[in-house]
Amino acid sequence: MSQTVSSKYRGKEIYTKSDHHSIKENFKELGKVIAEKIKCGSISKSGKALDVGYATGALIKHLMNRFPKIQFTGLDISKELIEIAQQKVPGACFEVASVMELPKGYGNSFDIVLCIGVLGIFDEPEAKQALNN
């Protein structure tokens, strides 16, 4: 990666050394929001979703079980976390990349973009850039 991130992926070892695939309350709440958006027609029930900074894929796994017709892609800078996610969440696509330098073709190609928890690793200027990306 050519980008510089002062945060250096804070907390990565938390995800590589223990299982974080329990269903968290914010996952349930996010599922309710997505279900409501599908119900009112602002999101397609067979759309595409991107989870930026997915770690080991716990959120994607939960949402894939709830919304099996949505195609999920996870984006993370850690190849090690991708390898764990591929084992834990078959059926999702995973890519090594940074929210600071999104892969070509990612612009406007997802119906849902999730960035749950990842913004906390950035300082304020980086977080603003990540959201703009």
Side-chain angles (χ1 to χ4, degrees):
M1 305 242 112
S2 62
Q3 54 93 15
T4 57
V5 177
S6 64
S7 56
K8 302 283 193 238
Y9 209 125
R10 295 178 203 140
K12 177 180 141 186
E13 59 281 343
I14 292 170
Y15 296 101
T16 59
K17 296 189 186 319
S18 62
D19 188 358
H20 278 76
H21 276 254
S22 60
I23 298 173
K24 297 173 180 76
E25 289 303 313
N26 62 338
F27 293 6
K28 294 176 189 177
E29 291 303 314
L30 183 57
K32 290 177 187 176
V33 170
I34 292 170
E36 185 59 37
K37 297 287 183 183
I38 290 171
K39 183 178 177 182
C40 73
S42 61
I43 295 175
S44 169
K45 63 181 172 183
S46 60
K48 293 172 63 178
L50 174 66
D51 184 10
V52 176
Y54 65 86
T56 59
L59 174 60
I60 290 178
K61 184 175 183 177
H62 171 71
L63 294 176
M64 282 178 70
N65 288 333
R66 180 134 187 220
F67 307 101
K69 293 183 180 180
I70 293 178
Q71 178 188 347
F72 286 91
T73 298
L75 184 76
D76 206 288
I77 63 171
S78 170
K79 185 175 180 179
E80 184 179 6
L81 292 178
I82 285 177
E83 290 169 356
I84 294 169
Q86 287 172 327
Q87 293 173 6
K88 292 188 171 279
V89 193
C93 299
F94 298 103
E95 187 164 357
V96 177
S98 169
V99 67
M100 304 306 265
E101 295 179 20
L102 293 172
K104 289 183 182 187
Y106 269 47
N108 297 321
S109 60
F110 294 94
D111 302 297
I112 305 167
V113 178
L114 307 168
C115 195
I116 309 300
V118 76
L119 291 178
I121 69 167
F122 295 116
D123 295 325
E124 186 177 347
E126 294 169 329
K128 286 180 181 178
Q129 181 183 347
L131 287 172
N132 286 332
N133 289 351

